[in-house]
């Protein structure tokens, strides 16, 4: 029997029943970002991949629920059904509206989209995409970039060198003060000889508020994901407060019933702090989602766990998705590595 066949079998209803006890208060939340458009250098999933994963999970006995429902049940002290699977998409790109319209809605699979409000408002496009654009469009062979007082000598003379340089710069941007991040990204682009368009290029367009409203009317949920996508742990508390309250206010203004669940920008546990959790609570959020790959876990009596709920990045293949969307990955966590 192949590994794929074994996983399909084990993640089915019988395996789920047998291994329910090891899941205690765990369920699966998947996170995805973009629809693949290789000709535009956009990495992501194809509609077909997402459709096939949803169908495979449904056949295995997964139960699709909205993220808001899942968190509300946890808050009410219920033990979560480990067969629950929730889907989320981050940022609010136009292709996410397409994915919701063409895949999630026809399959009646709930999905929550987290919106960067300044992106939909036309005030900015995400700094990490701006960096990617600058590195994709530079014609320089090398450049010296200063970040947070540290100098980086970058090689840019091949696609793989440019990718490596982008990675280095982006990771360092996540470590330094984010107050003036957008100005810093413009300076980096200028050093690379690239002028950043103020409006996002075709492959980085946001959905419109009107599209969001139409999707909401059809059952898609929307939650806030900050105004500018800067990293909270690298911002002064006053700016973090504006990012949470401001994005939540924009969603409340534009939509009928936005979901009071916040998604931390970039979302690793080092990207937000206790003070940010306090701000989210004060803003009326019932929970927050992170990006560290793991099951969502909210043990009873641990309300704080609801403000850093983990998600699995949606894999590209059905077999890995079945592992994450069932008890199988949990069993693997017990194995010595
Ligand atoms: Zn994001």
């Amino acid at each position: 029997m192949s590994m794929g066949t074994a996983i399909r079998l084990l993640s089915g209803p019988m395996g789920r029943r047998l291994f329910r006890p090891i899941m205690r208060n765990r369920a699966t939340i998947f996170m995805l970002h973009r629809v693949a458009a290789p000709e535009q250098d956009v990495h992501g999933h194809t509609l077909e991949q997402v459709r096939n994963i949803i169908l495979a999970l449904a056949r295995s006995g997964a139960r699709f629920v909205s993220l808001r429902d899942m968190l509300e049940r946890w808050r009410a002290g219920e033990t979560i059904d480990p067969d629950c699977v929730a889907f989320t998409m981050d940022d609010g790109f136009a292709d996410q509206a397409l994915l919701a319209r063409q895949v999630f809605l026809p399959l009646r699979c709930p999905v929550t989209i987290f919106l960067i409000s300044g992106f939909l408002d036309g005030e900015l496009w995400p700094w990490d995409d701006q960096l990617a654009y600058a590195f994709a469009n530079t014609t320089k062979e090398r450049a010296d970039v200063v970040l947070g007082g540290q100098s980086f000598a970058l090689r840019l003379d091949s696609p793989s060198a440019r990718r490596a340089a982008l990675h280095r710069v982006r990771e360092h941007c996540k470590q330094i003060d984010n107050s003036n991040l957008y100005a810093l990204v413009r300076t980096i682009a200028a050093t690379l000889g690239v002028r950043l368009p103020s409006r996002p290029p075709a492959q980085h367009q946001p959905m419109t508020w009107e599209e969001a409203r139409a999707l909401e009317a059809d059952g898609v949920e929307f939650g806030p994901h900050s105004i500018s996508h800067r990293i909270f742990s690298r911002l002064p508390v006053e700016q973090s407060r504006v990012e949470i309250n401001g994005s939540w206010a924009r969603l409340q203004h534009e939509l009928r019933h936005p979901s009071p669940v916040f998604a931390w920008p970039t979302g690793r546990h080092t990207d937000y702090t206790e003070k940010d959790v306090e701000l989210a609570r004060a803003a009326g959020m019932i929970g927050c989602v992170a990006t560290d790959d793991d099951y969502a876990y909210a043990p009873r009596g641990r309300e704080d766990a609801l403000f850093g709920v983990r998600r699995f990045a949606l894999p590209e293949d059905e077999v890995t998705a079945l592992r994450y969307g069932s008890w199988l990955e949990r069993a693997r966590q017990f194995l010595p590595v």
Side-chain angles (χ1 to χ4, degrees), residues 282-300:
M285 297 299 112
I286 62 166
C288 298
V289 289
T291 59
D292 303 291
D293 261 319
D294 203 348
Y295 290 102
Y297 176 50
R300 255 181 232 208

Side-chain angles (χ1 to χ4, degrees), residues 31 33 89-93 96 114-116 126 128 225-226 229 263-267 291 311:
M31 162 187 64
H33 277 98
M89 294 193 248
D90 286 13
D91 300 342
F93 286 98
Q96 296 172 343
F114 290 105
L115 301 175
I116 303 169
D128 24 356
H225 186 36
S226 82
H229 213 244
W264 299 115
T266 64
T291 59
R311 298 180 284 174

Side-chain angles (χ1 to χ4, degrees), residues 173-251:
C173 283
K174 293 177 181 175
Q175 310 300 326
I176 59 179
D177 184 357
N178 270 206
S179 304
N180 299 309
L181 184 56
Y182 279 84
L184 177 64
V185 167
R186 266 196 309 279
T187 309
I188 297 169
T191 311
L192 300 187
V194 176
R195 226 182 87 78
L196 291 170
S198 58
R199 294 275 172 169
Q203 68 272 32
H204 298 302
Q205 287 293 324
M207 68 178 75
T208 63
W209 286 113
E210 202 170 350
E211 280 170 321
R213 275 190 290 278
L215 287 168
E216 185 186 46
D218 290 334
V220 174
E221 296 206 1
F222 291 92
H225 186 36
S226 82
I227 299 173
S228 73
H229 213 244
R230 288 175 300 165
I231 296 166
F232 278 58
S233 58
R234 310 295 169 208
L235 286 178
V237 65
E238 269 320 307
Q239 290 195 34
S240 297
R241 193 195 315 273
V242 170
E243 290 281 341
I244 294 181
N245 293 354
S247 57
W248 179 230
R250 288 297 295 134
L251 264 72

Side-chain angles (χ1 to χ4, degrees), residues 15-290:
R16 286 176 183 273
R17 254 197 317 279
L18 270 170
F19 288 91
R20 182 164 285 258
I22 67 170
M23 290 297 286
R24 280 186 73 85
N25 283 302
R26 281 175 187 80
T28 300
I29 304 170
F30 283 119
M31 162 187 64
L32 63 158
H33 277 98
R34 302 296 309 270
V35 176
E39 69 289 350
Q40 292 182 311
D41 208 24
V42 177
H43 301 283
H45 292 81
T46 64
L47 301 187
E48 208 49 36
Q49 278 173 335
V50 179
R51 191 177 292 124
N52 287 338
I53 285 172
I54 293 173
L55 291 172
L57 283 164
R59 279 195 301 271
S60 80
R63 219 157 57 73
F64 302 125
V65 297
S66 87
L67 175 66
R68 182 180 188 161
D69 257 24
M70 191 187 275
L71 297 197
E72 275 172 353
R73 281 165 188 275
W74 263 331
R75 280 187 83 88
E78 288 182 33
T79 304
I80 211 75
D81 174 357
D83 295 340
C84 285
V85 172
F87 280 89
T88 60
M89 294 193 248
D90 286 13
D91 300 342
F93 286 98
D95 55 9
Q96 296 172 343
L98 180 85
L99 199 51
R101 177 70 60 205
Q102 298 206 354
V103 177
F104 285 94
L105 287 175
L107 293 175
R108 296 177 185 283
C109 180
V111 63
T112 301
I113 304 180
F114 290 105
L115 301 175
I116 303 169
S117 66
F119 186 28
L120 271 74
D121 282 336
E123 291 166 1
L124 53 90
W125 49 297
W127 66 269
D128 24 356
D129 290 311
Q130 294 193 16
L131 270 185
Y133 178 91
F135 279 87
N137 287 286
T138 184
T139 52
K140 299 224 161 159
E141 301 223 316
R142 52 187 59 247
D144 290 308
V145 166
V146 179
L147 295 172
Q150 205 176 322
S151 184
F152 291 82
L154 303 174
R155 265 190 49 210
L156 305 163
D157 51 359
S158 71
S160 65
R162 285 193 289 276
R163 268 197 303 277
L166 167 64
H167 182 76
R168 257 178 92 194
V169 168
R170 193 173 44 208
E171 289 313 301
H172 200 74
C173 283
K174 293 177 181 175
Q175 310 300 326
I176 59 179
D177 184 357
N178 270 206
S179 304
N180 299 309
L181 184 56
Y182 279 84
L184 177 64
V185 167
R186 266 196 309 279
T187 309
I188 297 169
T191 311
L192 300 187
V194 176
R195 226 182 87 78
L196 291 170
S198 58
R199 294 275 172 169
Q203 68 272 32
H204 298 302
Q205 287 293 324
M207 68 178 75
T208 63
W209 286 113
E210 202 170 350
E211 280 170 321
R213 275 190 290 278
L215 287 168
E216 185 186 46
D218 290 334
V220 174
E221 296 206 1
F222 291 92
H225 186 36
S226 82
I227 299 173
S228 73
H229 213 244
R230 288 175 300 165
I231 296 166
F232 278 58
S233 58
R234 310 295 169 208
L235 286 178
V237 65
E238 269 320 307
Q239 290 195 34
S240 297
R241 193 195 315 273
V242 170
E243 290 281 341
I244 294 181
N245 293 354
S247 57
W248 179 230
R250 288 297 295 134
L251 264 72
Q252 285 179 302
H253 182 78
E254 295 288 349
L255 302 169
R256 273 177 188 281
H257 41 79
S259 176
V261 180
F262 191 84
W264 299 115
T266 64
R268 303 161 307 173
H269 66 277
T270 49
D271 294 338
Y272 58 95
T273 65
E274 245 343 279
K275 77 170 165 52
D276 303 314
V277 168
E278 275 320 307
L279 294 172
R281 253 199 209 99
M285 297 299 112
I286 62 166
C288 298
V289 289

